[in-house]
Amino acid sequence: VLSGCGVYDGTEIHEASAILVHLSRGGAEVQMYAPDVPQMHVIDHSKGQPAEAESRNVLVESARIARGKIASLAKLTTADHDAVIFPGGFGAAKNLSTFAVDGKDCKVNREVERVLKDFHKAGKPIGLCCISPVLAAKVLSGAEVTVGHEEEEGGKWPYAGTAGAIKELGGKHCVKEAVFSLTPFYEAHVDTKNKVVTTPAFMCETELHNIFDGIGAMVKNVLKLTGK
């Protein structure tokens, strides 16, 4: 499920690409979706500032990542899929929810909430990375997720405050390391009860290959939970 195209106002493109690579390697068939709604705003990524008097559609922008093969999120049903995965990027906090503005008092897009609840009720796995675990924390009370560490540690974890927000949303935050000291890959947290799998991704300032490997751990565990 995508939220636009670009880290500051949509889907984090490297995360989406990594998820697709690992799903392909795992032999999964993929269908991409996005809500057919306006973006909260448009960011000029070369300046990191809002582009005034410009508006874009989340579905249209997400189609850039999907190479045009995308459908409205309203068409996503549990009957047609074994699992659902949400990449990160600020779009998850701006377009899929209002978390970027409202924090613990945020609202989640109606279709996003429906999808999360439907997959949870059906006992089908849900994967999330980077900032998107806030969606599960808000919608699935008591779900265990990770966004990495709970302290900034000199800028290594610049979004560490999200961990506290997850607790305020009703979720349980589990601290995960960025990189193992001996094995160079990210950790993924598996909430076996709720079948929710999360990994920090770009919540940490680290090398791209570590993020890629962490997303791989998340995808692998999601596929494992499908039982196929």
Side-chain angles (χ1 to χ4, degrees):
V1 176
L2 303 176
S3 61
C5 183
V7 58
Y8 297 127
D9 59 9
T11 302
E12 212 301 319
I13 298 170
H14 297 293
E15 292 177 7
S17 180
I19 289 169
L20 291 170
V21 169
H22 288 295
L23 284 171
S24 175
R25 185 170 286 154
E29 295 182 18
V30 177
Q31 171 64 53
M32 283 174 268
Y33 297 88
D36 188 1
V37 297
Q39 290 186 185
M40 180 186 123
H41 60 185
V42 177
I43 298 292
D44 179 339
H45 281 60
S46 69
K47 299 177 181 177
Q49 298 175 350
E52 301 298 335
E54 185 173 350
S55 62
R56 298 186 185 183
N57 178 278
V58 175
L59 178 61
V60 173
E61 289 302 294
S62 298
R64 294 175 181 272
I65 297 174
R67 297 172 63 86
K69 297 179 180 179
I70 196 165
S72 170
L73 187 59
K75 297 181 179 180
L76 174 54
T77 67
T78 57
D80 296 330
H81 300 282
D82 298 311
V84 64
I85 296 179
F86 291 79
F90 280 100
K94 293 179 177 180
N95 304 328
L96 304 188
S97 72
T98 64
F99 180 77
V101 176
D102 301 322
K104 64 181 181 64
D105 298 318
C106 69
K107 295 181 180 179
V108 175
N109 172 278
R110 181 178 62 184
E111 291 298 334
V112 172
E113 182 173 2
R114 175 189 64 80
V115 167
L116 287 169
K117 287 183 175 178
D118 285 354
F119 273 80
H120 183 256
K121 184 177 181 180
K124 294 185 175 183
I126 300 166
L128 311 102
C129 63
C130 197
I131 191 67
S132 67
V134 300
L135 302 172
K138 176 67 176 181
V139 174
L140 308 176
S141 181
E144 295 179 0
V145 300
T146 188
V147 289
H149 279 207
E150 299 181 356
E151 302 293 336
E152 291 189 16
E153 299 177 20
K156 183 178 180 180
W157 296 91
Y159 310 107
T162 306
I166 282 171
K167 297 174 185 177
E168 292 180 320
L169 287 168
K172 297 180 180 178
H173 185 258
C174 302
V175 174
K176 290 293 178 179
E177 296 299 325
V179 185
F180 286 123
S181 59
L182 298 178
T183 309
F185 63 86
Y186 254 69
E187 289 188 277
H189 179 74
V190 182
D191 178 349
T192 54
K193 178 182 177 182
N194 293 297
K195 291 192 175 181
V196 173
V197 187
T198 51
T199 194
F202 279 101
M203 297 299 277
C204 181
E205 291 291 334
T206 187
E207 291 82 4
L208 183 60
H209 67 275
N210 290 325
I211 293 165
F212 182 88
D213 289 346
I215 288 172
M218 181 267 285
V219 170
K220 183 177 181 180
N221 278 288
V222 166
L223 294 178
K224 182 178 180 180
L225 286 173
T226 66
K228 295 187 175 182

